[in-house]
């Protein structure tokens, strides 16, 4: 099946252009699920690159859609704070949290996601505690393990029979890697995927049945990781993420909420970026078959293909900040206390920064020139882990399969944050 490239579909363009500019809300999750968000960003980059949405399910917020303006926010942590949350806050979820958990729940405005929701100097100290786990030396030691497990996954796939790539490959590889990074019980690795999905989905989407179901799953996650913390306290220091948090002077005395926030950050960050880029690479290569042929003819392009996929897919669509003081950006005054959303997905398609940005070009010059990992002090701490997994899985794919064919429409996430896939039906016609 040749998936349609729907970025310029007439209906999506018409809807984006006919909506009064002041009513345009780029945070609507249905547009991301239908893959019709790109014309909205194209219009905003052209007509209103720093755009205010006065009324939405997230409250009022600014949207920054051009590369240069996103950079101006992302690299200026003295003005733009992460302490009130790094996403669009779901006001419905916050109200439901209060209803379900009652007085035990402290109302939040989007924070609670660990060190990524801290400003300096607290952010730097906690980030530094986990950084050695994803340093080059540790990744070098991990690479043979990732390769072995990737091979086992690929060798187990059916030939000539449709299956869900997201479930059997993307989720499984990231779960295996996360379990290794956490030193989490390997037989329970898919719990990590499940908890990530429970965090990032509202009821009725992904595995989430209700708000009660969501909060129950989070309780199970926190209990498991508190048990893991207690095990590590009584063990010798090791090279996994939890041991580093336990034994580092900057983090060994952190409170329960901060620890829980770090756990969620590391689970979601370690899961969604890699998982959705693995799936996105299959979608992109099927949408652009000339690029798939180019890759098969020259596996040496895998490294640049991985970077191009991370740009083209942009697995996390946005990050948010709150202005500490009034700030002028592109002729607009953002007032102190107002939320600013940096749409990485739009910045990665900015025509003024990237040539032919809507095309997928695996040998693009400067393929690492993208903003999917963010910039400044909050640049993704696990970016090298993601690139390692993506590189290895494609090296192993090309050894085994001449083609992986998308056989039906992918089901995309109902989310303006996680830009990815619930499922992706594929068929592998044959082995090499």
């Amino acid at each position: 099946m040749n998936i349609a490239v729907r970025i310029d579909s007439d209906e999506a363009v018409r809807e984006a252009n006919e909506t009064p500019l002041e009513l345009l809300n780029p945070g609507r999750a249905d547009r991301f699920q239908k893959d019709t968000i790109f014309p909205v960003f194209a219009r905003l980059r052209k007509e209103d690159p720093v755009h205010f949405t006065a009324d939405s399910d997230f409250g009022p917020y600014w949207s920054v859609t051009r590369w240069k303006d996103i950079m101006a926010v992302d690299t200026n942590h003295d003005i733009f704070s992460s302490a009130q949350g790094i996403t669009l806050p779901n006001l419905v979820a916050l109200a439901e949290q209060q209803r379900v958990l009652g007085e035990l729940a402290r109302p939040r405005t989007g924070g609670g996601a660990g060190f990524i929701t801290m400003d300096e100097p607290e952010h730097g100290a906690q980030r530094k505690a986990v950084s050695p786990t994803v340093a080059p030396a540790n990744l070098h030691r991990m690479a043979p393990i990732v390769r072995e497990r990737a091979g086992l996954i690929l060798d187990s796939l059916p030939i000539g029979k449709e299956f869900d790539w997201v479930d059997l490959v993307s989720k499984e590889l990231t779960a295996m890697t996360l379990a290794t990074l956490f030193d989490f019980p390997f037989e329970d690795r898919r719990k990590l995927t499940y908890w990530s999905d429970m965090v990032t989905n509202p009821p009725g989407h992904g595995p989430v049945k209700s708000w009660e179901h969501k909060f129950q799953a989070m309780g199970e996650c926190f209990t498991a990781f508190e048990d893991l913390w207690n095990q590590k306290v009584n063990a010798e220091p090791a090279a996994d993420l939890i041991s580093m948090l336990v034994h580092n002077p900057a983090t060994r005395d952190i409170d329960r909420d901060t620890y829980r926030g770090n756990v969620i950050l590391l689970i979601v960050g370690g899961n969604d970026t890699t998982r959705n880029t693995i799936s996105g690479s299959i979608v992109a290569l099927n949408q652009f078959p000339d690029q798939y042929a180019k890759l098969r003819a020259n596996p040496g392009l895998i490294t640049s293909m991985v970077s191009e996929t991370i740009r083209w897919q942009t697995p996390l669509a946005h990050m948010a900040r709150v202005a500490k003081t009034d700030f002028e950006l592109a002729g607009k005054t953002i007032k102190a206390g107002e939320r600013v959303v940096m749409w990485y997905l739009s910045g990665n398609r900015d025509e003024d920064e990237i040539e032919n940005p809507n095309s997928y070009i695996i040998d693009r010059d400067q393929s690492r020139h993208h903003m999917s990992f963010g910039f400044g002090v909050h640049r993704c701490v696990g970016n090298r882990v993601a690139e390692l997994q993506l590189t290895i899985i494609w090296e192993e794919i090309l050894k085994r399969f001449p083609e992986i064919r998308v056989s039906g429409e992918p089901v995309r996430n109902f989310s303006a944050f996680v830009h990815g896939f619930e499922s992706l039906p594929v068929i592998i016609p044959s082995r090499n």
Side-chain angles (χ1 to χ4, degrees), residues 385-397:
V385 182
E387 291 172 338
L388 174 73
Q389 292 178 83
L390 290 158
T391 299
I392 287 175
I393 194 71
W394 269 102
E395 287 172 350
E396 297 304 312
I397 286 171

Side-chain angles (χ1 to χ4, degrees), residues 143-144 146-148 150-152 154-155 159 292 295-300 302 391-404 428 430-432:
V146 174
R147 189 174 302 279
E148 178 185 8
L152 292 173
L154 296 175
D155 288 340
I159 301 299
Y292 203 171
L295 181 66
R296 286 192 294 263
N298 182 9
I302 288 174
T391 299
I392 287 175
I393 194 71
W394 269 102
E395 287 172 350
E396 297 304 312
I397 286 171
L398 292 180
K399 291 176 185 177
R400 289 165 172 80
F401 310 129
E403 181 184 14
I404 300 169
I428 300 176
S430 63
R431 294 185 186 274
N432 286 333

Side-chain angles (χ1 to χ4, degrees), residues 182-202:
F182 284 126
D183 192 24
F184 191 81
F186 194 69
E187 65 276 11
D188 292 332
R189 62 191 178 278
R190 289 299 285 263
K191 288 183 179 180
L192 299 170
T193 306
Y194 171 71
W195 290 329
S196 179
D197 287 344
M198 292 299 288
V199 170
T200 56
N201 281 287

Side-chain angles (χ1 to χ4, degrees), residues 302-353:
I302 288 174
T303 299
S304 61
M305 181 274 285
V306 164
S307 292
E308 173 69 349
T309 307
I310 292 169
R311 179 198 71 84
W312 188 83
Q313 179 60 35
T314 316
L316 293 180
H318 77 264
M319 286 285 173
R321 304 285 186 264
V322 172
K324 296 179 183 179
T325 63
D326 291 0
F327 186 82
E328 185 169 318
L329 184 64
K332 301 288 183 71
T333 299
I334 298 168
K335 295 180 180 178
E338 291 183 329
R339 185 167 295 272
V340 181
V341 177
M342 302 174 289
W343 290 106
Y344 295 151
L345 186 58
S346 176
N348 277 334
R349 303 294 179 103
D350 187 344
E351 303 86 345
D352 291 337
E353 185 68 26

Side-chain angles (χ1 to χ4, degrees), residues 58-361:
F58 319 106
Y61 68 97
W62 291 93
S63 286
V64 183
T65 52
R66 293 188 305 197
W67 178 289
K68 65 179 182 180
D69 298 325
I70 293 170
M71 287 285 287
V73 174
D74 215 3
T75 57
N76 194 345
H77 65 272
D78 290 330
I79 297 294
F80 295 100
S81 169
S82 300
Q84 295 184 53
I86 47 81
T87 66
L88 281 168
N90 188 324
L91 302 183
V92 174
L94 293 170
E96 286 300 309
Q97 176 177 308
Q98 288 296 101
R99 180 184 68 80
V100 173
L101 301 182
E103 294 182 359
L104 295 176
R106 294 199 305 275
R108 292 175 176 174
T109 57
F115 60 81
I116 199 171
T117 60
M118 294 178 178
D119 293 330
E120 299 302 328
E122 292 83 6
H123 164 268
Q126 295 213 20
R127 179 186 173 103
K128 187 177 180 180
V130 300
S131 295
T133 305
V134 292
N138 208 35
L139 295 185
H140 181 74
R141 289 191 291 268
M142 278 183 59
I145 300 171
V146 174
R147 189 174 302 279
E148 178 185 8
R149 291 171 178 171
L152 292 173
I153 292 169
L154 296 175
D155 288 340
S156 70
L157 299 177
I159 301 299
K161 180 181 177 182
E162 186 176 82
F163 66 92
D164 179 9
W165 180 267
V166 172
D167 183 38
L168 295 190
V169 181
S170 300
K171 287 184 178 180
E172 187 63 8
L173 183 65
T174 50
M176 287 180 171
T177 304
L178 271 179
T180 302
L181 288 171
F182 284 126
D183 192 24
F184 191 81
F186 194 69
E187 65 276 11
D188 292 332
R189 62 191 178 278
R190 289 299 285 263
K191 288 183 179 180
L192 299 170
T193 306
Y194 171 71
W195 290 329
S196 179
D197 287 344
M198 292 299 288
V199 170
T200 56
N201 281 287
H205 298 278
V208 186
K209 299 175 183 177
S210 65
W211 292 109
E212 288 84 353
H213 183 215
K214 184 183 181 81
F215 297 135
Q216 178 187 17
M218 290 300 90
E220 294 168 355
C221 173
F222 296 146
T223 297
F225 274 88
E226 283 166 12
D227 289 344
L228 195 57
W229 177 284
N230 292 333
Q231 294 170 27
K232 299 295 181 180
V233 165
N234 298 313
E236 291 296 317
D240 62 272
L241 288 165
I242 305 304
S243 183
M244 288 185 172
L245 287 172
V246 167
H247 293 285
N248 190 292
T251 52
R252 65 189 176 197
D253 296 321
I254 56 176
D255 60 66
R256 177 188 289 185
D257 281 350
T258 302
Y259 175 55
R260 289 176 171 184
N262 283 335
V263 165
I264 294 301
L265 165 64
L266 295 168
I267 289 176
V268 173
N271 176 71
D272 284 308
T273 301
T274 309
R275 162 177 149 191
N276 288 311
T277 308
I278 293 172
S279 300
S281 66
I282 300 294
V283 173
L285 291 167
N286 274 260
Q287 284 190 359
F288 297 87
D290 61 319
Q291 300 301 302
Y292 203 171
K294 191 187 296 182
L295 181 66
R296 286 192 294 263
N298 182 9
L301 293 174
I302 288 174
T303 299
S304 61
M305 181 274 285
V306 164
S307 292
E308 173 69 349
T309 307
I310 292 169
R311 179 198 71 84
W312 188 83
Q313 179 60 35
T314 316
L316 293 180
H318 77 264
M319 286 285 173
R321 304 285 186 264
V322 172
K324 296 179 183 179
T325 63
D326 291 0
F327 186 82
E328 185 169 318
L329 184 64
K332 301 288 183 71
T333 299
I334 298 168
K335 295 180 180 178
E338 291 183 329
R339 185 167 295 272
V340 181
V341 177
M342 302 174 289
W343 290 106
Y344 295 151
L345 186 58
S346 176
N348 277 334
R349 303 294 179 103
D350 187 344
E351 303 86 345
D352 291 337
E353 185 68 26
I354 298 172
E355 186 178 357
N356 198 9
N358 294 325
S359 292
Y360 179 74
I361 304 169

